[in-house]
Amino acid sequence: MSSTLAIIVSLLLLMFLAYRGITVLLLAPLMAALAVFLSGDIGFLLPIYTDTFMKALGGYVLQFLPIFLLGALFGQLMADSGAANTIARWIVKRLGPKHSLATVVIACGLLTYGGVSLFVVAFAIYPIARDLFRAADIPKRLIPATIALGSFTFTMTAMPGTPAIQNAIPIPYYGTNVFAAPGLGLIGSAIMLLGGLWWLQTRVNKAKTAGEGYGDHESDQHIPIDDGSTVYATGPLSTMPLFLAFLPLILVIGVNALFTYWIFPQTDFSAFADKFPHVEPAKMKGLWALIIALVSACFTLIVTRLGRWENLKETVNQGVFGFMLPLFNTASEVGYGAVIAGLAGFALIRDAVLNLTPSNPLISEAIAMNVLAGITGSSSGGLSIALQTLGADYLAMAQQAGISPELMHRVAVMAAGGFDTLPHCGAIITLLAICKLNHRQSYMNIAMVTMVAPLFAIITVITLGTIFGSF
């Protein structure tokens, strides 16, 4: 019992201190050590750190480093090439300030579904959203929720084929790919998108009825109000042709699908057995396809802009350096999870979670992912910890219940994208800082589109998946 209490105390402290802004790189090993100390295993602290924490951290880095690195590089190339700006301006020109909410959500959704980092998207889209909302006289406090809806929800967890790291994490545990349960993913995406837009539109209508406009914000006073005659975007105008701007996004999804559904299924991997006996191609093909797709997109971006880069070396360096913090933050959380899983008290927690709904592991899985994502303030962190500690159990339960691993994959990813946006979430804190707003002004609407709408989506997907299976 004392070991279980130690785990709970360390988890609560991890959540509280992360909210206070202390980096997870330091918190994860410290809170793991605290759990070991409180559970009475202090004599084994050093071997637990070197053999459990670091081995789990290192294993995660080895497995997912290419995805984090290539994803960060691709996002930087999209931003610095002008491709992201070109796509955003094209959407704005087509829809304009009359459809400000949909314009911002679609722009964010296209970029994140194409593989651009959500942080890059937030920085790129905020100035556009600011101009659109001012022109339409929509309260600025709704900008963070609008960006979050397009960046943190359906394109991150539900859309089939999305290259988001969250969608790649279950692959080695379930032997799936990023297109897992595509029909259910599309249904979940529609619920998140339409539900979020409906909520935001009701807030806009209520604000107009109350006579509330964009508002008087000191940070915007030096920026002239646009009269609607120009394109709503800031930064250097790109002359990049629209097709070339869209091409990398198409390649990320298209090449991935090509290898997933055509090339790899016809490839004989038997020769791998002699040289790489520990490699399981069935579980790795999904990651390999995503790596090839991201490399293709990055290479295409570089080549199509040769001679037009302002400083290609600096762009590549920034992109490569940018992957390290997100990767090691998540890897540290995985190391923390491995230590917790090794404590005696974890058996009680594991059994309680697994036995919540023994006849339907989908519900148990969804609850576990949501809770851990909420505690860590990270969908990728919570998902990684849950699968590291419970993935094999859930796969065995799914096989016993006749549930497709693809359905388990989609439910896991969508559930991790629920409570991850509690107030201490780093992405939310960063988004509010970019928009120069605070939690009191904007958080309630962020929660509605990133937690409540996804909750309805995951309930629907679990219900349909239970009745009809994976599709």
Side-chain angles (χ1 to χ4, degrees):
M1 187 65 180
S2 61
S3 181
T4 304
L5 183 62
I7 293 172
I8 295 172
V9 169
S10 74
L11 282 171
L12 292 175
L13 277 174
L14 177 67
M15 179 171 63
F16 173 76
L17 294 173
Y19 177 67
R20 302 297 296 178
I22 300 177
T23 174
V24 173
L25 284 173
L26 180 62
L27 279 181
L30 286 180
M31 292 304 102
L34 177 64
V36 171
F37 175 76
L38 294 177
S39 66
D41 293 331
I42 186 64
F44 301 105
L45 180 59
L46 290 177
I48 286 175
Y49 176 73
T50 55
D51 192 63
T52 304
F53 183 91
M54 289 307 299
K55 184 178 288 185
L57 182 152
Y60 187 87
V61 170
L62 287 173
Q63 195 161 57
F64 290 106
L65 185 148
I67 307 300
F68 277 88
L69 188 154
L70 291 169
L73 176 60
F74 178 64
Q76 195 68 45
L77 290 169
M78 284 290 292
D80 289 359
S81 67
N85 193 40
T86 296
I87 293 170
R89 290 191 293 111
W90 176 75
I91 295 170
V92 171
K93 285 183 73 173
R94 294 297 178 276
L95 298 178
K98 289 184 179 180
H99 307 284
S100 300
L101 294 176
T103 299
V104 173
V105 171
I106 291 172
C108 291
L110 269 176
L111 292 172
T112 49
Y113 184 57
V116 182
S117 161
L118 57 88
F119 294 106
V120 172
V121 170
F123 276 109
I125 297 298
Y126 166 65
I128 299 171
R130 179 195 62 212
D131 287 350
L132 284 170
F133 278 47
R134 291 181 84 194
D137 205 26
I138 297 173
K140 181 181 179 179
R141 60 183 175 81
L142 295 176
I143 291 179
T146 309
I147 293 176
L149 175 59
S151 304
F152 300 176
T153 59
F154 61 100
T155 58
M156 186 179 79
T157 64
M159 284 292 288
T162 176
I165 186 61
Q166 291 82 356
N167 198 32
I169 288 172
I171 292 174
Y173 299 97
Y174 292 151
T176 50
N177 57 65
V178 292
F179 294 93
L184 290 169
L186 288 173
I187 292 172
S189 297
I191 293 172
M192 292 185 213
L193 174 59
L194 297 177
L197 282 173
W198 171 82
W199 173 260
L200 291 174
Q201 189 60 55
T202 64
R203 299 306 93 192
V204 171
N205 295 341
K206 184 177 180 180
K208 288 186 181 297
T209 301
E212 179 187 0
Y214 180 81
D216 185 18
H217 300 274
E218 185 178 350
S219 61
D220 298 336
Q221 287 179 357
H222 65 286
I223 302 171
I225 297 178
D226 203 301
D227 63 3
S229 62
T230 61
V231 175
Y232 295 87
T234 59
L237 295 180
S238 169
T239 57
M240 190 173 192
L242 185 63
F243 172 73
L244 291 181
F246 271 106
L247 181 59
L249 306 188
I250 296 171
L251 286 175
V252 169
I253 305 302
V255 172
N256 196 339
L258 179 67
F259 277 86
T260 297
Y261 291 113
W262 188 63
I263 295 179
F264 281 160
Q266 299 183 43
T267 302
D268 181 9
F269 291 102
S270 59
F272 284 27
D274 295 332
K275 289 192 174 182
F276 305 98
H278 300 296
V279 173
E280 298 181 60
K283 289 188 175 182
M284 298 304 296
K285 287 186 291 187
L287 286 178
W288 292 342
L290 183 54
I291 290 170
I292 294 170
L294 286 170
V295 169
S296 302
C298 289
F299 178 77
T300 299
L301 260 174
I302 291 172
V303 170
T304 56
R305 299 296 291 170
L306 279 179
R308 298 182 181 89
W309 290 98
E310 184 175 335
N311 190 333
L312 179 57
K313 182 180 73 173
E314 183 64 22
T315 293
V316 171
N317 286 343
Q318 285 186 8
V320 171
F321 294 153
F323 90 95
M324 295 182 187
L325 186 59
L327 172 62
F328 280 94
N329 273 341
T330 308
S332 292
E333 290 170 340
V334 170
Y336 169 83
V339 172
I340 296 300
L343 298 178
F346 180 75
L348 294 176
I349 297 174
R350 181 196 62 211
D351 292 343
V353 171
L354 294 176
N355 291 325
L356 281 173
T357 53
S359 62
N360 192 342
L362 293 171
I363 299 174
S364 170
E365 181 187 48
I367 293 172
M369 302 300 164
N370 252 314
V371 170
L372 284 170
I375 289 171
T376 59
S378 165
S379 54
S380 58
L383 187 61
S384 298
I385 291 174
L387 290 177
Q388 174 81 14
T389 54
L390 300 171
D393 294 310
Y394 279 128
L395 182 60
M397 290 173 68
Q399 291 171 339
Q400 186 175 0
I403 295 174
S404 166
E406 288 201 353
L407 181 54
M408 296 294 290
H409 174 128
R410 187 55 54 210
V411 167
V413 179
M414 289 179 63
F419 290 166
D420 63 317
T421 49
L422 286 171
H424 63 289
C425 170
I428 297 302
I429 294 170
T430 300
L431 176 60
L432 290 172
I434 291 170
C435 297
K436 300 177 178 62
L437 294 166
N438 56 45
H439 282 76
R440 182 180 59 82
Q441 294 169 304
S442 300
Y443 181 71
M444 189 272 286
N445 290 301
I446 294 175
M448 289 300 296
V449 301
T450 63
M451 288 197 290
V452 177
L455 180 61
F456 280 104
I458 191 64
I459 290 173
T460 302
V461 166
I462 289 175
T463 302
L464 292 174
T466 301
I467 297 172
F468 301 108
S470 179
F471 61 89

